[in-house]
Amino acid sequence: MRTMEQRPLVVGVDGSEPSLRAVDWAADEAVVRGVPLRLVYACLWERYEGAALAHELGTPEVRALPQDLVGAAADRARARHPGLKVTADVVFEEPEYTLVREARQASALVVGSRGRSGLAEMLLGSVSLSVAAHADCPVIVLRGNHDKRATPPGGGRVVVGVGEDAKDSAAVRFAFEEARRRGAVLEAVRAWRCPAHETTDHPLLADAPARLHREQAEEALTQALHNAPPDVKVERRTVEGHPRRVLVEAAQGADLLVVGAKRRNGHLGLQLGRVTHAALHHASCPVAVVPQRA
């Protein structure tokens, strides 16, 4: 049994431009983590047609075998980081099943925001959504303009959304480690709202309900950050507004947005809350979905 430190970083590839960008990003991330990189191509077809792979192989048109695809992607990762250990595999199976299975022995799993479906860039592909909803390890979905780099020069900013499980949050722990590895500032964000039925017209009491909800949000941040590593710079923010809007806005310009997703035993549907779902569809930076056992 591999320890977490030995487990590879897995990236799903399909020959599309988003998945090739994911290979670059994942190669950087694997180096930062000090783990091997594993490339997995899963499909139900024996041949692939695509402009991105044709460009990668230097041919005007290509009808390639899956082995050609993962071989080109592996060569790309090795060229980017010559010392990185890279392995690759082809599985003739539905990508969702393969990647969720791979996640059981992965330190984290990286996927592009969409594959060859032709959906608009703002929409999340069904494979990425399904994997993020069911994987046992953190899943990083590469949204937005990440410039194919996991660690931009000069440090950066990691944003984590602090939810209801503030006291023992797997997402917060993951965010601590990601900020430390990157030498980035960690921005912990907690949204709060004051329901309309709690407001009052009395001038002396008008701000009392809002103040209570704001203080509760601040207390949630205190609980979530009580084990913050001393070598990670942490900034705290409580913001009035709907959590979905607050997190998407906070993610602008960030290197990574970290959100949690509860995993309930025996639950077969998409195990993503509304806030996590919104972040995956609308954030302008890579999104890490960290499973939290209920």
Side-chain angles (χ1 to χ4, degrees):
M1 178 80 63
R2 290 169 173 162
T3 65
M4 184 60 72
E5 290 76 13
Q6 297 170 326
R7 292 181 179 182
L9 181 70
V10 175
V11 55
V13 297
D14 64 6
S16 66
E17 182 58 33
S19 84
L20 293 178
R21 293 200 304 266
V23 169
D24 294 342
W25 195 97
D28 289 356
E29 181 73 8
V31 169
V32 169
R33 289 169 170 262
V35 298
L37 179 65
R38 175 168 168 77
L39 280 59
V40 178
Y41 173 72
C43 74
L44 298 177
W45 302 277
E46 293 186 357
R47 289 186 179 274
Y48 170 85
E49 298 183 27
L53 181 58
H55 176 75
E56 196 71 17
L57 295 176
T59 59
E61 290 186 20
V62 64
R63 288 175 56 87
L65 294 172
Q67 290 79 4
D68 298 327
L69 187 152
V70 294
D75 289 343
R76 179 178 177 125
R78 294 188 186 103
R80 189 175 181 90
H81 293 289
L84 177 63
K85 181 180 178 181
V86 181
T87 59
D89 200 5
V90 176
V91 181
F92 292 103
E93 188 180 50
E94 290 284 358
E96 295 93 328
Y97 301 146
T98 298
L99 292 177
V100 169
R101 186 173 61 247
E102 288 283 336
R104 296 170 189 161
Q105 295 299 321
S107 59
L109 195 149
V110 178
V111 291
S113 59
R114 64 186 179 95
R116 292 177 285 160
S117 63
L119 294 174
E121 184 65 34
M122 69 176 290
L123 298 178
L124 189 69
S126 60
V127 172
S128 301
L129 185 63
S130 180
V131 172
H134 295 104
D136 288 333
C137 73
V139 175
I140 303 172
V141 180
L142 298 186
R143 293 196 50 80
N145 181 22
H146 49 78
D147 199 25
K148 300 188 288 189
R149 294 182 299 180
T151 53
R157 184 167 60 98
V158 173
V159 176
V160 60
V162 176
E164 297 302 323
D165 299 313
K167 192 172 184 179
D168 185 27
S169 169
V172 172
R173 293 195 301 270
F174 180 86
F176 283 149
E177 290 303 315
E178 288 301 304
R180 172 189 281 146
R181 292 187 185 106
R182 290 169 163 77
V185 173
L186 177 62
E187 183 177 314
V189 179
R190 170 76 177 190
W192 61 273
R193 302 176 72 190
C194 180
H197 65 79
E198 294 185 18
T199 59
T200 176
D201 294 330
H202 194 289
L204 296 179
L205 301 177
D207 189 47
R211 184 171 61 252
L212 175 61
H213 286 282
R214 183 170 59 249
E215 290 173 352
Q216 290 173 341
E218 292 169 352
E219 176 59 26
L221 281 180
T222 298
Q223 291 183 11
L225 301 173
H226 74 285
N227 283 328
D231 56 344
V232 174
K233 181 179 179 181
V234 179
E235 296 180 353
R236 304 156 47 113
R237 287 182 59 202
T238 58
V239 183
E240 182 179 8
H242 197 286
R244 284 172 280 183
R245 176 184 62 79
V246 168
L247 273 190
V248 169
E249 291 180 355
Q252 294 179 9
D255 300 311
L256 184 68
L257 171 63
V258 182
V259 292
K262 289 185 178 180
R263 297 286 191 263
R264 297 176 176 86
N265 294 332
H267 186 80
L268 300 178
L270 287 181
Q271 299 193 48
L272 296 172
R274 293 180 180 179
V275 175
T276 298
H277 200 277
L280 285 170
H281 279 279
H282 301 295
S284 60
C285 71
V287 179
V289 179
V290 182
Q292 174 88 41
R293 286 294 170 188

